[in-house]
């Protein structure tokens, strides 16, 4: 594989004709380009902690927009049997973010070839939206594993990375390479795993997910 080959828009990046990522709003940086943070995850399901974190990241990192990139199976987490269907997770994220200023759900990555590697996603997005600048947003736990990511050094060389804290993940800021910054977002004690557990045990999830998607979360994550 030639390490410096940039995939062409759409065709080489996958069947993107039906991608429903909202068109980026106008304005932003020089030449009309925006600074867009990519907040990837399974969102299995999306919860109020995801949304609160996205708001903080947008503000603290000085981003014009944050795209919640609903991802297929994480290549580092193969074998999970609890991952809900891609389209259902995306639709719940879209509904949950309706009306949020500068935060949108994206199914872009669901249309790319598998396995889903961040490097491929970044390259395809840059090809499809060359006027915008994309910033990778990852948790401290993922930063600690970053050296194992596909084309990790290429990502570091070409893209900005913003790291947000995760409980149990201590990072020495003095060791961060150029282009990587840490923002001090609030630690939120809520997880999709806990929501799924509570549903399985018949417990309530009020306040853990946006009210608009709570009935769907209970329906889709009930006993299947």
């Amino acid at each position: 594989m030639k390490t410096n080959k940039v995939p062409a828009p759409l065709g080489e990046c996958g069947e993107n004709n039906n991608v429903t990522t909202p068109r980026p709003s106008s304005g932003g940086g020089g030449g009309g380009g925006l600074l867009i943070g990519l907040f990837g995850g399974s969102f299995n399901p999306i919860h109020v902690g995801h949304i609160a974190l996205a708001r903080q990241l947008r503000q603290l990192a000085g981003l014009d927009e944050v795209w919640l990139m609903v991802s297929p199976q994480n290549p580092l987490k193969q074998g999970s049997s609890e991952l809900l269907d891609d389209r259902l997770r995306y639709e719940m994220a879209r509904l949950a973010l309706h009306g949020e200023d500068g935060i949108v759900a994206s199914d872009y990555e669901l249309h790319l070839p598998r396995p889903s590697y961040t490097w491929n996603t970044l390259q395809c997005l840059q090809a499809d939206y060359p006027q915008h600048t994309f910033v990778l947003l990852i948790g401290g736990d993922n930063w600690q594993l970053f050296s194992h990511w596909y084309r990790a050094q290429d990502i570091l060389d070409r893209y900005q990375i913003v790291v947000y804290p995760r409980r149990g993940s201590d990072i020495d800021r003095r060791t961060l390479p150029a282009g990587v910054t840490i923002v001090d977002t609030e630690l939120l004690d809520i997880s999709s795993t806990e929501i799924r557990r509570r549903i399985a045990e018949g417990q309530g999830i009020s306040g853990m997910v946006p009210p608009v998607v709570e009935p769907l979360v209970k329906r889709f994550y009930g006993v299947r």
Side-chain angles (χ1 to χ4, degrees):
M1 179 181 294
K2 295 182 179 180
T3 58
N4 294 322
K5 185 177 187 296
V6 177
L10 299 180
E12 291 185 25
C13 286
E15 297 298 330
N16 294 336
N17 293 333
N18 296 316
V19 172
T20 50
T21 293
R23 184 180 299 276
S25 59
S26 61
L34 297 176
L35 190 62
I36 299 174
L38 303 178
F39 180 11
S42 58
F43 303 107
N44 189 40
I46 190 170
H47 55 66
V48 296
H50 291 134
I51 300 172
L53 178 57
R55 292 170 182 156
Q56 293 180 63
L57 288 168
R58 183 179 178 226
Q59 178 182 10
L60 294 174
L63 303 169
D64 294 303
E65 294 184 353
V66 171
W67 291 2
L68 269 68
M69 306 289 288
V70 179
S71 63
Q73 182 72 57
N74 185 327
L76 296 178
K77 297 181 179 179
Q78 296 287 355
S80 173
S81 61
E82 296 185 327
L83 190 64
L84 194 67
D85 177 78
D86 292 347
R87 301 306 305 177
L88 294 178
R89 289 182 291 116
Y90 165 71
E91 287 300 330
M92 286 191 291
R94 185 185 62 81
L95 287 171
L97 293 171
H98 179 72
E100 282 287 333
D101 184 30
I103 306 174
V104 296
S106 171
D107 66 346
Y108 186 93
E109 199 166 40
L110 300 180
H111 295 266
L112 298 181
R114 311 291 174 91
S116 174
Y117 290 115
T118 298
W119 166 256
N120 295 342
T121 300
L122 287 166
Q123 291 291 84
C124 288
L125 280 168
Q126 203 66 74
D128 286 345
Y129 302 99
Q131 71 275 33
H132 301 305
T133 300
F134 293 99
V135 179
L136 182 61
L137 310 174
I138 63 174
D141 51 346
N142 274 320
W143 175 249
Q144 290 180 325
L145 296 172
F146 189 78
S147 62
H148 299 285
W149 285 27
Y150 176 66
R151 305 277 295 264
Q153 189 58 53
D154 286 328
I155 295 174
L156 284 171
D157 290 343
R158 292 166 174 79
Y159 297 95
Q160 301 176 55
I161 299 176
V162 171
V163 180
Y164 55 88
R166 292 293 297 268
R167 200 172 301 283
S169 300
D170 296 323
I171 299 173
D172 186 346
R173 296 171 189 252
R174 297 170 299 180
T175 66
L176 295 176
V180 180
T181 59
I182 293 181
V183 292
D184 294 318
T185 56
E186 179 184 357
L187 288 170
L188 302 168
D189 290 320
I190 181 172
S191 71
S192 297
T193 301
E194 174 68 7
I195 291 169
R196 296 195 304 271
R197 183 192 66 78
R198 291 180 66 88
I199 291 174
E201 295 178 358
Q203 301 180 45
I205 58 169
S206 178
M208 301 179 77
V209 299
V212 69
V213 297
E214 183 173 344
L216 294 175
V217 172
K218 290 179 177 177
R219 174 185 169 189
F220 295 144
Y221 291 93
V223 177
R224 302 198 297 272

